[in-house]
Short mmCIF file of all heavy atoms in Angstrom, two decimals:
data_model
loop_
_atom_site.label_atom_id
_atom_site.label_comp_id
_atom_site.label_asym_id
_atom_site.label_seq_id
_atom_site.Cartn_x
_atom_site.Cartn_y
_atom_site.Cartn_z
N MET B 1 133.13 -25.57 44.40
CA MET B 1 134.40 -24.87 44.51
C MET B 1 135.33 -25.36 43.44
O MET B 1 135.00 -25.37 42.28
CB MET B 1 134.96 -25.11 45.89
CG MET B 1 136.10 -24.23 46.26
SD MET B 1 135.88 -23.63 47.92
CE MET B 1 136.69 -22.13 47.84
N THR B 2 136.49 -25.79 43.79
CA THR B 2 137.48 -26.24 42.84
C THR B 2 137.55 -27.78 42.84
O THR B 2 137.75 -28.36 43.89
CB THR B 2 138.86 -25.65 43.21
OG1 THR B 2 138.73 -24.27 43.45
CG2 THR B 2 139.82 -25.87 42.11
N ASP B 3 137.41 -28.39 41.69
CA ASP B 3 137.47 -29.81 41.64
C ASP B 3 138.91 -30.24 41.29
O ASP B 3 139.77 -29.43 40.97
CB ASP B 3 136.46 -30.45 40.66
CG ASP B 3 136.70 -29.99 39.23
OD1 ASP B 3 137.42 -29.04 39.01
OD2 ASP B 3 136.11 -30.64 38.35
N ALA B 4 139.15 -31.54 41.38
CA ALA B 4 140.50 -32.08 41.20
C ALA B 4 141.03 -31.80 39.78
O ALA B 4 142.22 -31.53 39.61
CB ALA B 4 140.52 -33.56 41.46
N LYS B 5 140.16 -31.81 38.79
CA LYS B 5 140.60 -31.58 37.43
C LYS B 5 141.18 -30.17 37.29
O LYS B 5 142.22 -29.95 36.69
CB LYS B 5 139.42 -31.77 36.48
CG LYS B 5 139.79 -31.67 35.02
CD LYS B 5 138.58 -31.94 34.12
CE LYS B 5 138.98 -31.84 32.67
NZ LYS B 5 137.84 -32.10 31.78
N GLU B 6 140.48 -29.19 37.89
CA GLU B 6 140.96 -27.77 37.82
C GLU B 6 142.27 -27.64 38.60
O GLU B 6 143.15 -26.91 38.16
CB GLU B 6 139.90 -26.83 38.38
CG GLU B 6 138.65 -26.72 37.56
CD GLU B 6 137.57 -25.87 38.19
OE1 GLU B 6 137.85 -25.28 39.26
OE2 GLU B 6 136.49 -25.85 37.64
N LEU B 7 142.38 -28.32 39.73
CA LEU B 7 143.58 -28.25 40.52
C LEU B 7 144.77 -28.85 39.81
O LEU B 7 145.87 -28.33 39.88
CB LEU B 7 143.42 -28.94 41.87
CG LEU B 7 142.43 -28.27 42.85
CD1 LEU B 7 142.20 -29.19 44.06
CD2 LEU B 7 142.96 -26.93 43.29
N ARG B 8 144.54 -29.95 39.07
CA ARG B 8 145.65 -30.57 38.34
C ARG B 8 146.18 -29.69 37.19
O ARG B 8 147.34 -29.80 36.80
CB ARG B 8 145.19 -31.91 37.79
CG ARG B 8 145.21 -32.99 38.84
CD ARG B 8 145.04 -34.37 38.24
NE ARG B 8 145.20 -35.36 39.28
CZ ARG B 8 144.23 -35.83 40.07
NH1 ARG B 8 143.02 -35.34 39.93
NH2 ARG B 8 144.49 -36.72 40.99
N GLU B 9 145.33 -28.78 36.71
CA GLU B 9 145.74 -27.87 35.63
C GLU B 9 146.57 -26.71 36.18
O GLU B 9 147.20 -26.00 35.41
CB GLU B 9 144.52 -27.38 34.89
CG GLU B 9 143.79 -28.45 34.13
CD GLU B 9 142.47 -27.98 33.54
OE1 GLU B 9 142.06 -26.83 33.81
OE2 GLU B 9 141.83 -28.78 32.85
N MET B 10 146.57 -26.48 37.48
CA MET B 10 147.30 -25.38 38.09
C MET B 10 148.79 -25.70 38.13
O MET B 10 149.19 -26.84 38.19
CB MET B 10 146.79 -25.12 39.49
CG MET B 10 145.41 -24.56 39.58
SD MET B 10 145.02 -24.22 41.34
CE MET B 10 143.44 -23.54 41.18
N SER B 11 149.57 -24.60 38.18
CA SER B 11 151.00 -24.80 38.34
C SER B 11 151.30 -25.06 39.85
O SER B 11 150.42 -24.93 40.71
CB SER B 11 151.74 -23.52 37.92
OG SER B 11 151.43 -22.46 38.81
N ASP B 12 152.51 -25.41 40.12
CA ASP B 12 152.92 -25.68 41.51
C ASP B 12 152.75 -24.46 42.40
O ASP B 12 152.32 -24.58 43.54
CB ASP B 12 154.37 -26.17 41.55
CG ASP B 12 154.52 -27.58 40.96
OD1 ASP B 12 153.52 -28.28 40.87
OD2 ASP B 12 155.66 -27.88 40.58
N GLU B 13 153.08 -23.28 41.86
CA GLU B 13 152.96 -22.03 42.62
C GLU B 13 151.47 -21.76 42.92
O GLU B 13 151.14 -21.31 44.02
CB GLU B 13 153.58 -20.88 41.87
CG GLU B 13 155.07 -20.99 41.70
CD GLU B 13 155.51 -21.90 40.56
OE1 GLU B 13 154.71 -22.12 39.65
OE2 GLU B 13 156.65 -22.40 40.61
N GLN B 14 150.63 -21.95 41.93
CA GLN B 14 149.19 -21.73 42.15
C GLN B 14 148.62 -22.68 43.19
O GLN B 14 147.80 -22.29 44.03
CB GLN B 14 148.43 -21.87 40.83
CG GLN B 14 148.68 -20.75 39.83
CD GLN B 14 148.02 -21.04 38.49
OE1 GLN B 14 148.01 -22.17 38.02
NE2 GLN B 14 147.46 -19.99 37.90
N LEU B 15 149.08 -23.93 43.15
CA LEU B 15 148.64 -24.89 44.14
C LEU B 15 149.06 -24.49 45.53
O LEU B 15 148.31 -24.59 46.48
CB LEU B 15 149.19 -26.29 43.80
CG LEU B 15 148.45 -27.11 42.80
CD1 LEU B 15 149.21 -28.41 42.55
CD2 LEU B 15 147.02 -27.39 43.19
N GLU B 16 150.27 -24.01 45.64
CA GLU B 16 150.79 -23.57 46.93
C GLU B 16 149.99 -22.39 47.48
O GLU B 16 149.62 -22.37 48.67
CB GLU B 16 152.30 -23.17 46.80
CG GLU B 16 153.01 -23.04 48.11
CD GLU B 16 153.14 -24.35 48.88
OE1 GLU B 16 153.33 -25.38 48.23
OE2 GLU B 16 152.99 -24.31 50.11
N LEU B 17 149.66 -21.44 46.61
CA LEU B 17 148.83 -20.30 47.06
C LEU B 17 147.42 -20.75 47.43
O LEU B 17 146.86 -20.27 48.41
CB LEU B 17 148.75 -19.25 45.94
CG LEU B 17 150.01 -18.44 45.72
CD1 LEU B 17 149.86 -17.51 44.50
CD2 LEU B 17 150.31 -17.57 46.96
N THR B 18 146.85 -21.67 46.67
CA THR B 18 145.51 -22.19 46.94
C THR B 18 145.53 -22.90 48.30
O THR B 18 144.60 -22.71 49.11
CB THR B 18 145.07 -23.19 45.85
OG1 THR B 18 145.05 -22.51 44.62
CG2 THR B 18 143.68 -23.70 46.14
N LEU B 19 146.54 -23.69 48.56
CA LEU B 19 146.68 -24.36 49.85
C LEU B 19 146.78 -23.37 51.00
O LEU B 19 146.10 -23.51 52.02
CB LEU B 19 147.90 -25.29 49.84
CG LEU B 19 148.17 -26.06 51.12
CD1 LEU B 19 147.03 -27.00 51.43
CD2 LEU B 19 149.46 -26.85 50.98
N LYS B 20 147.59 -22.33 50.82
CA LYS B 20 147.77 -21.35 51.86
C LYS B 20 146.46 -20.62 52.16
O LYS B 20 146.09 -20.45 53.32
CB LYS B 20 148.85 -20.35 51.45
CG LYS B 20 149.18 -19.30 52.48
CD LYS B 20 150.27 -18.37 51.99
CE LYS B 20 150.46 -17.27 53.01
NZ LYS B 20 151.37 -16.20 52.54
N ASP B 21 145.78 -20.21 51.08
CA ASP B 21 144.52 -19.49 51.27
C ASP B 21 143.45 -20.39 51.95
O ASP B 21 142.72 -19.93 52.81
CB ASP B 21 143.95 -19.01 49.90
CG ASP B 21 144.80 -17.87 49.33
OD1 ASP B 21 145.58 -17.26 50.09
OD2 ASP B 21 144.68 -17.63 48.09
N ALA B 22 143.39 -21.63 51.51
CA ALA B 22 142.40 -22.55 52.11
C ALA B 22 142.67 -22.83 53.58
O ALA B 22 141.77 -22.88 54.40
CB ALA B 22 142.36 -23.84 51.32
N ALA B 23 143.95 -22.95 53.90
CA ALA B 23 144.35 -23.20 55.30
C ALA B 23 144.00 -21.97 56.17
O ALA B 23 143.48 -22.12 57.30
CB ALA B 23 145.82 -23.51 55.39
N GLU B 24 144.25 -20.78 55.66
CA GLU B 24 143.94 -19.57 56.42
C GLU B 24 142.42 -19.44 56.57
O GLU B 24 141.94 -19.07 57.65
CB GLU B 24 144.48 -18.35 55.72
CG GLU B 24 145.99 -18.22 55.80
CD GLU B 24 146.55 -17.05 55.01
OE1 GLU B 24 145.76 -16.30 54.42
OE2 GLU B 24 147.78 -16.91 54.99
N HIS B 25 141.69 -19.74 55.50
CA HIS B 25 140.22 -19.64 55.56
C HIS B 25 139.68 -20.66 56.56
O HIS B 25 138.77 -20.37 57.32
CB HIS B 25 139.63 -19.83 54.19
CG HIS B 25 138.17 -19.60 54.09
ND1 HIS B 25 137.62 -18.33 54.33
CD2 HIS B 25 137.12 -20.41 53.85
CE1 HIS B 25 136.31 -18.41 54.20
NE2 HIS B 25 135.98 -19.64 53.92
N LEU B 26 140.23 -21.86 56.55
CA LEU B 26 139.80 -22.91 57.49
C LEU B 26 140.06 -22.49 58.92
O LEU B 26 139.23 -22.68 59.81
CB LEU B 26 140.49 -24.22 57.19
CG LEU B 26 140.13 -25.41 58.10
CD1 LEU B 26 138.65 -25.75 57.97
CD2 LEU B 26 140.99 -26.62 57.76
N PHE B 27 141.21 -21.87 59.16
CA PHE B 27 141.54 -21.39 60.51
C PHE B 27 140.52 -20.34 60.96
O PHE B 27 140.00 -20.42 62.07
CB PHE B 27 142.95 -20.77 60.49
CG PHE B 27 143.34 -20.17 61.83
CD1 PHE B 27 143.70 -20.97 62.87
CD2 PHE B 27 143.33 -18.80 61.98
CE1 PHE B 27 144.03 -20.40 64.09
CE2 PHE B 27 143.69 -18.23 63.19
CZ PHE B 27 144.04 -19.03 64.27
N ARG B 28 140.20 -19.40 60.06
CA ARG B 28 139.19 -18.37 60.44
C ARG B 28 137.83 -18.99 60.69
O ARG B 28 137.12 -18.58 61.62
CB ARG B 28 139.10 -17.31 59.32
CG ARG B 28 140.30 -16.37 59.29
CD ARG B 28 140.05 -15.16 58.41
NE ARG B 28 139.81 -15.54 57.01
CZ ARG B 28 140.73 -15.71 56.09
NH1 ARG B 28 142.02 -15.52 56.39
NH2 ARG B 28 140.42 -16.04 54.86
N LEU B 29 137.47 -19.98 59.90
CA LEU B 29 136.19 -20.65 60.10
C LEU B 29 136.15 -21.40 61.43
O LEU B 29 135.12 -21.37 62.13
CB LEU B 29 135.91 -21.64 58.96
CG LEU B 29 135.48 -21.01 57.63
CD1 LEU B 29 135.40 -22.09 56.55
CD2 LEU B 29 134.14 -20.30 57.73
N ARG B 30 137.25 -22.04 61.77
CA ARG B 30 137.31 -22.75 63.08
C ARG B 30 137.17 -21.79 64.24
O ARG B 30 136.47 -22.06 65.20
CB ARG B 30 138.58 -23.56 63.16
CG ARG B 30 138.58 -24.81 62.38
CD ARG B 30 139.82 -25.61 62.63
NE ARG B 30 139.74 -26.86 61.89
CZ ARG B 30 140.79 -27.59 61.55
NH1 ARG B 30 142.01 -27.17 61.89
NH2 ARG B 30 140.66 -28.73 60.92
N ILE B 31 137.86 -20.67 64.16
CA ILE B 31 137.75 -19.67 65.23
C ILE B 31 136.31 -19.16 65.29
O ILE B 31 135.74 -19.03 66.38
CB ILE B 31 138.74 -18.50 64.98
CG1 ILE B 31 140.19 -18.97 65.02
CG2 ILE B 31 138.48 -17.37 65.97
CD1 ILE B 31 140.60 -19.55 66.35
N GLN B 32 135.75 -18.84 64.15
CA GLN B 32 134.38 -18.33 64.09
C GLN B 32 133.39 -19.37 64.63
O GLN B 32 132.45 -19.02 65.33
CB GLN B 32 134.00 -17.96 62.65
CG GLN B 32 132.65 -17.32 62.53
CD GLN B 32 132.33 -16.95 61.10
OE1 GLN B 32 133.10 -17.22 60.19
NE2 GLN B 32 131.15 -16.38 60.90
N SER B 33 133.62 -20.64 64.37
CA SER B 33 132.69 -21.67 64.87
C SER B 33 132.77 -21.81 66.38
O SER B 33 131.79 -22.19 67.00
CB SER B 33 132.99 -23.02 64.21
OG SER B 33 134.22 -23.57 64.71
N GLN B 34 133.90 -21.47 66.95
CA GLN B 34 134.04 -21.53 68.40
C GLN B 34 133.42 -20.31 69.09
O GLN B 34 132.96 -20.41 70.21
CB GLN B 34 135.51 -21.64 68.80
CG GLN B 34 136.17 -22.91 68.34
CD GLN B 34 135.56 -24.12 68.98
OE1 GLN B 34 135.26 -24.12 70.16
NE2 GLN B 34 135.37 -25.17 68.22
N THR B 35 133.46 -19.16 68.42
CA THR B 35 133.00 -17.94 69.05
C THR B 35 131.56 -17.59 68.68
O THR B 35 130.88 -16.91 69.46
CB THR B 35 133.90 -16.76 68.65
OG1 THR B 35 133.91 -16.63 67.24
CG2 THR B 35 135.32 -16.97 69.16
N GLU B 36 131.12 -17.98 67.55
CA GLU B 36 129.76 -17.69 67.08
C GLU B 36 129.25 -18.74 66.12
O GLU B 36 129.99 -19.62 65.76
CB GLU B 36 129.70 -16.31 66.44
CG GLU B 36 130.59 -16.16 65.22
CD GLU B 36 130.70 -14.76 64.73
OE1 GLU B 36 131.36 -13.96 65.40
OE2 GLU B 36 130.15 -14.48 63.66
N ARG B 37 128.03 -18.60 65.73
CA ARG B 37 127.44 -19.57 64.80
C ARG B 37 127.85 -19.29 63.39
O ARG B 37 127.85 -18.14 62.93
CB ARG B 37 125.92 -19.50 64.95
CG ARG B 37 125.21 -20.45 64.05
CD ARG B 37 123.76 -20.51 64.40
NE ARG B 37 123.54 -21.75 65.08
CZ ARG B 37 122.40 -22.10 65.63
NH1 ARG B 37 121.40 -21.25 65.67
NH2 ARG B 37 122.26 -23.27 66.21
N LEU B 38 128.20 -20.34 62.66
CA LEU B 38 128.58 -20.20 61.26
C LEU B 38 127.34 -20.06 60.37
O LEU B 38 126.31 -20.67 60.65
CB LEU B 38 129.37 -21.42 60.78
CG LEU B 38 130.77 -21.59 61.37
CD1 LEU B 38 131.34 -22.93 60.89
CD2 LEU B 38 131.66 -20.46 60.96
N ASP B 39 127.48 -19.28 59.31
CA ASP B 39 126.38 -19.14 58.35
C ASP B 39 126.19 -20.45 57.58
O ASP B 39 125.05 -20.89 57.34
CB ASP B 39 126.67 -18.00 57.38
CG ASP B 39 126.69 -16.65 58.06
OD1 ASP B 39 126.02 -16.50 59.11
OD2 ASP B 39 127.36 -15.76 57.58
N ALA B 40 127.28 -21.04 57.18
CA ALA B 40 127.23 -22.31 56.41
C ALA B 40 128.27 -23.29 57.03
O ALA B 40 129.42 -23.25 56.66
CB ALA B 40 127.53 -22.08 54.96
N PRO B 41 127.81 -24.14 57.93
CA PRO B 41 128.76 -25.08 58.60
C PRO B 41 129.44 -26.03 57.63
O PRO B 41 130.51 -26.54 57.93
CB PRO B 41 127.87 -25.86 59.56
CG PRO B 41 126.63 -25.08 59.71
CD PRO B 41 126.48 -24.25 58.49
N THR B 42 128.86 -26.22 56.45
CA THR B 42 129.51 -27.14 55.49
C THR B 42 130.81 -26.56 54.92
O THR B 42 131.57 -27.30 54.29
CB THR B 42 128.55 -27.45 54.35
OG1 THR B 42 128.15 -26.25 53.69
CG2 THR B 42 127.32 -28.18 54.82
N GLU B 43 131.00 -25.27 55.11
CA GLU B 43 132.23 -24.63 54.63
C GLU B 43 133.48 -25.29 55.27
O GLU B 43 134.54 -25.38 54.61
CB GLU B 43 132.26 -23.14 54.89
CG GLU B 43 131.40 -22.35 53.93
CD GLU B 43 131.61 -20.85 54.15
OE1 GLU B 43 132.78 -20.37 54.04
OE2 GLU B 43 130.61 -20.17 54.38
N LEU B 44 133.37 -25.72 56.50
CA LEU B 44 134.47 -26.38 57.16
C LEU B 44 134.88 -27.64 56.40
O LEU B 44 136.04 -27.88 56.08
CB LEU B 44 134.13 -26.76 58.60
CG LEU B 44 134.06 -25.61 59.59
CD1 LEU B 44 133.39 -26.06 60.88
CD2 LEU B 44 135.45 -25.05 59.84
N ARG B 45 133.92 -28.46 56.06
CA ARG B 45 134.17 -29.70 55.33
C ARG B 45 134.71 -29.41 53.96
O ARG B 45 135.64 -30.08 53.48
CB ARG B 45 132.89 -30.52 55.25
CG ARG B 45 133.11 -31.84 54.54
CD ARG B 45 131.91 -32.75 54.55
NE ARG B 45 130.70 -32.12 55.03
CZ ARG B 45 129.52 -32.24 54.43
NH1 ARG B 45 129.40 -32.96 53.36
NH2 ARG B 45 128.45 -31.63 54.91
N ILE B 46 134.13 -28.43 53.27
CA ILE B 46 134.56 -28.07 51.91
C ILE B 46 136.02 -27.67 51.93
O ILE B 46 136.82 -28.10 51.05
CB ILE B 46 133.66 -26.98 51.33
CG1 ILE B 46 132.28 -27.54 51.07
CG2 ILE B 46 134.28 -26.38 50.08
CD1 ILE B 46 131.22 -26.49 50.75
N ASN B 47 136.42 -26.83 52.90
CA ASN B 47 137.82 -26.39 52.96
C ASN B 47 138.77 -27.51 53.35
O ASN B 47 139.87 -27.59 52.81
CB ASN B 47 137.94 -25.23 53.95
CG ASN B 47 137.70 -23.91 53.28
OD1 ASN B 47 138.51 -23.45 52.51
ND2 ASN B 47 136.54 -23.29 53.55
N ARG B 48 138.36 -28.40 54.26
CA ARG B 48 139.21 -29.54 54.60
C ARG B 48 139.44 -30.42 53.39
O ARG B 48 140.55 -30.88 53.16
CB ARG B 48 138.56 -30.37 55.74
CG ARG B 48 138.75 -29.79 57.12
CD ARG B 48 138.51 -30.82 58.16
NE ARG B 48 137.37 -31.70 57.92
CZ ARG B 48 136.13 -31.52 58.39
NH1 ARG B 48 135.86 -30.47 59.09
NH2 ARG B 48 135.19 -32.42 58.13
N ARG B 49 138.41 -30.63 52.64
CA ARG B 49 138.55 -31.49 51.44
C ARG B 49 139.40 -30.82 50.37
O ARG B 49 140.16 -31.49 49.65
CB ARG B 49 137.17 -31.83 50.88
CG ARG B 49 136.46 -32.85 51.77
CD ARG B 49 135.13 -33.23 51.20
NE ARG B 49 134.53 -34.23 52.09
CZ ARG B 49 133.34 -34.74 51.86
NH1 ARG B 49 132.66 -34.43 50.77
NH2 ARG B 49 132.85 -35.63 52.72
N LEU B 50 139.30 -29.49 50.23
CA LEU B 50 140.11 -28.77 49.27
C LEU B 50 141.59 -28.90 49.65
O LEU B 50 142.45 -29.15 48.80
CB LEU B 50 139.69 -27.30 49.20
CG LEU B 50 140.55 -26.38 48.33
CD1 LEU B 50 140.52 -26.86 46.88
CD2 LEU B 50 140.08 -24.94 48.42
N ILE B 51 141.87 -28.72 50.91
CA ILE B 51 143.25 -28.86 51.39
C ILE B 51 143.77 -30.27 51.12
O ILE B 51 144.89 -30.45 50.64
CB ILE B 51 143.33 -28.52 52.90
CG1 ILE B 51 143.10 -27.01 53.10
CG2 ILE B 51 144.68 -28.96 53.50
CD1 ILE B 51 142.91 -26.61 54.55
N ALA B 52 142.96 -31.28 51.37
CA ALA B 52 143.35 -32.65 51.11
C ALA B 52 143.60 -32.90 49.63
O ALA B 52 144.56 -33.57 49.27
CB ALA B 52 142.26 -33.61 51.60
N ARG B 53 142.76 -32.36 48.76
CA ARG B 53 142.93 -32.51 47.32
C ARG B 53 144.25 -31.91 46.85
O ARG B 53 145.01 -32.47 46.08
CB ARG B 53 141.79 -31.86 46.55
CG ARG B 53 140.56 -32.66 46.53
CD ARG B 53 139.49 -32.06 45.63
NE ARG B 53 138.22 -32.68 45.80
CZ ARG B 53 137.19 -32.13 46.42
NH1 ARG B 53 137.24 -30.89 46.85
NH2 ARG B 53 136.06 -32.78 46.54
N VAL B 54 144.53 -30.67 47.33
CA VAL B 54 145.76 -29.99 46.94
C VAL B 54 146.96 -30.78 47.42
O VAL B 54 147.94 -30.98 46.65
CB VAL B 54 145.79 -28.55 47.49
CG1 VAL B 54 147.16 -27.89 47.29
CG2 VAL B 54 144.70 -27.68 46.83
N LYS B 55 146.97 -31.22 48.67
CA LYS B 55 148.09 -31.98 49.19
C LYS B 55 148.28 -33.30 48.40
O LYS B 55 149.41 -33.72 48.19
CB LYS B 55 147.91 -32.26 50.68
CG LYS B 55 148.12 -31.03 51.52
CD LYS B 55 148.03 -31.33 52.97
CE LYS B 55 148.37 -30.12 53.83
NZ LYS B 55 148.32 -30.42 55.26
N THR B 56 147.18 -33.93 48.06
CA THR B 56 147.27 -35.17 47.27
C THR B 56 147.91 -34.91 45.94
O THR B 56 148.80 -35.71 45.52
CB THR B 56 145.86 -35.78 47.10
OG1 THR B 56 145.29 -36.07 48.38
CG2 THR B 56 145.91 -37.04 46.25
N ILE B 57 147.53 -33.87 45.26
CA ILE B 57 148.09 -33.55 43.95
C ILE B 57 149.59 -33.20 44.10
O ILE B 57 150.41 -33.62 43.27
CB ILE B 57 147.31 -32.42 43.26
CG1 ILE B 57 145.90 -32.96 42.91
CG2 ILE B 57 148.04 -31.88 42.04
CD1 ILE B 57 144.92 -31.88 42.49
N GLN B 58 149.93 -32.44 45.13
CA GLN B 58 151.33 -32.14 45.35
C GLN B 58 152.16 -33.38 45.61
O GLN B 58 153.29 -33.52 45.12
CB GLN B 58 151.48 -31.17 46.57
CG GLN B 58 151.00 -29.79 46.25
CD GLN B 58 151.12 -28.86 47.44
OE1 GLN B 58 150.98 -29.30 48.59
NE2 GLN B 58 151.33 -27.60 47.18
N THR B 59 151.60 -34.33 46.36
CA THR B 59 152.30 -35.59 46.64
C THR B 59 152.46 -36.42 45.36
O THR B 59 153.53 -36.99 45.10
CB THR B 59 151.50 -36.40 47.68
OG1 THR B 59 151.40 -35.64 48.88
CG2 THR B 59 152.23 -37.73 48.00
N GLU B 60 151.39 -36.44 44.52
CA GLU B 60 151.48 -37.15 43.26
C GLU B 60 152.58 -36.57 42.37
O GLU B 60 153.36 -37.29 41.74
CB GLU B 60 150.17 -37.07 42.48
CG GLU B 60 149.05 -37.90 43.12
CD GLU B 60 147.72 -37.66 42.42
OE1 GLU B 60 147.59 -36.73 41.60
OE2 GLU B 60 146.76 -38.40 42.77
N ARG B 61 152.65 -35.26 42.32
CA ARG B 61 153.69 -34.60 41.51
C ARG B 61 155.09 -34.85 42.06
O ARG B 61 156.04 -35.08 41.28
CB ARG B 61 153.42 -33.10 41.45
CG ARG B 61 152.23 -32.74 40.58
CD ARG B 61 152.05 -31.27 40.46
NE ARG B 61 150.84 -30.96 39.66
CZ ARG B 61 150.44 -29.75 39.38
NH1 ARG B 61 151.12 -28.70 39.84
NH2 ARG B 61 149.36 -29.55 38.67
N ALA B 62 155.22 -34.88 43.36
CA ALA B 62 156.54 -35.12 43.97
C ALA B 62 156.99 -36.54 43.68
O ALA B 62 158.14 -36.80 43.36
CB ALA B 62 156.50 -34.88 45.47
N LYS B 63 156.08 -37.48 43.78
CA LYS B 63 156.41 -38.91 43.50
C LYS B 63 156.76 -39.08 42.03
O LYS B 63 157.66 -39.84 41.67
CB LYS B 63 155.28 -39.82 43.87
CG LYS B 63 155.16 -39.99 45.40
CD LYS B 63 154.07 -40.97 45.74
CE LYS B 63 154.00 -41.15 47.25
NZ LYS B 63 152.94 -42.11 47.65
N ALA B 64 156.05 -38.39 41.15
CA ALA B 64 156.33 -38.49 39.72
C ALA B 64 157.71 -37.89 39.44
O ALA B 64 158.47 -38.43 38.59
CB ALA B 64 155.26 -37.78 38.93
N ALA B 65 158.05 -36.80 40.10
CA ALA B 65 159.37 -36.19 39.86
C ALA B 65 160.46 -37.12 40.36
O ALA B 65 161.54 -37.23 39.74
CB ALA B 65 159.42 -34.84 40.60
N GLU B 66 160.26 -37.78 41.51
CA GLU B 66 161.25 -38.70 42.04
C GLU B 66 161.41 -39.89 41.08
O GLU B 66 162.53 -40.36 40.87
CB GLU B 66 160.82 -39.23 43.42
CG GLU B 66 160.94 -38.22 44.54
CD GLU B 66 160.41 -38.76 45.83
OE1 GLU B 66 160.14 -39.98 45.96
OE2 GLU B 66 160.28 -37.95 46.79
N LYS B 67 160.32 -40.36 40.54
CA LYS B 67 160.36 -41.49 39.64
C LYS B 67 161.12 -41.12 38.35
O LYS B 67 161.94 -41.92 37.86
CB LYS B 67 158.94 -41.94 39.28
CG LYS B 67 158.84 -43.22 38.57
CD LYS B 67 157.37 -43.63 38.42
CE LYS B 67 157.27 -45.01 37.81
NZ LYS B 67 155.87 -45.42 37.64
N GLU B 68 160.89 -39.91 37.86
CA GLU B 68 161.62 -39.44 36.66
C GLU B 68 163.10 -39.28 36.95
O GLU B 68 163.93 -39.63 36.10
CB GLU B 68 161.05 -38.12 36.16
CG GLU B 68 159.69 -38.25 35.50
CD GLU B 68 159.11 -36.88 35.09
OE1 GLU B 68 159.82 -35.88 35.15
OE2 GLU B 68 157.92 -36.85 34.75
N ALA B 69 163.42 -38.81 38.13
CA ALA B 69 164.82 -38.61 38.50
C ALA B 69 165.51 -39.94 38.61
O ALA B 69 166.67 -40.12 38.22
CB ALA B 69 164.94 -37.84 39.80
N ALA B 70 164.82 -40.94 39.16
CA ALA B 70 165.38 -42.27 39.31
C ALA B 70 165.57 -42.93 37.94
O ALA B 70 166.55 -43.67 37.69
CB ALA B 70 164.54 -43.13 40.21
N ALA B 71 164.62 -42.69 37.04
CA ALA B 71 164.71 -43.26 35.72
C ALA B 71 165.83 -42.61 34.89
O ALA B 71 166.42 -43.25 34.00
CB ALA B 71 163.38 -43.12 35.00
N ALA B 72 166.15 -41.37 35.18
CA ALA B 72 167.17 -40.64 34.42
C ALA B 72 168.60 -41.11 34.83
O ALA B 72 169.54 -40.94 34.07
CB ALA B 72 167.06 -39.14 34.67
N LYS B 73 168.70 -41.71 35.99
CA LYS B 73 170.02 -42.15 36.46
C LYS B 73 170.47 -43.38 35.80
O LYS B 73 170.23 -44.23 35.27
CB LYS B 73 170.02 -42.38 37.98
CG LYS B 73 170.00 -41.06 38.72
CD LYS B 73 170.10 -41.29 40.20
CE LYS B 73 170.16 -39.99 40.93
NZ LYS B 73 170.29 -40.18 42.33
#
């Protein structure tokens, strides 16, 4: 799927959309896993890790922005 290097090259808006899509897809997969058998059960893990990667990158960017703001003062 998408590795961390590709995610870091995305803009903040693209990361937000990727996070939203992955969260929605994970929700659908969880519902499907409860009601029927999944075709590829590893998709759950892949989506959870994608969400974690995106959130980590967003946190890194937020901390960097705070650090720059503090340094500018």
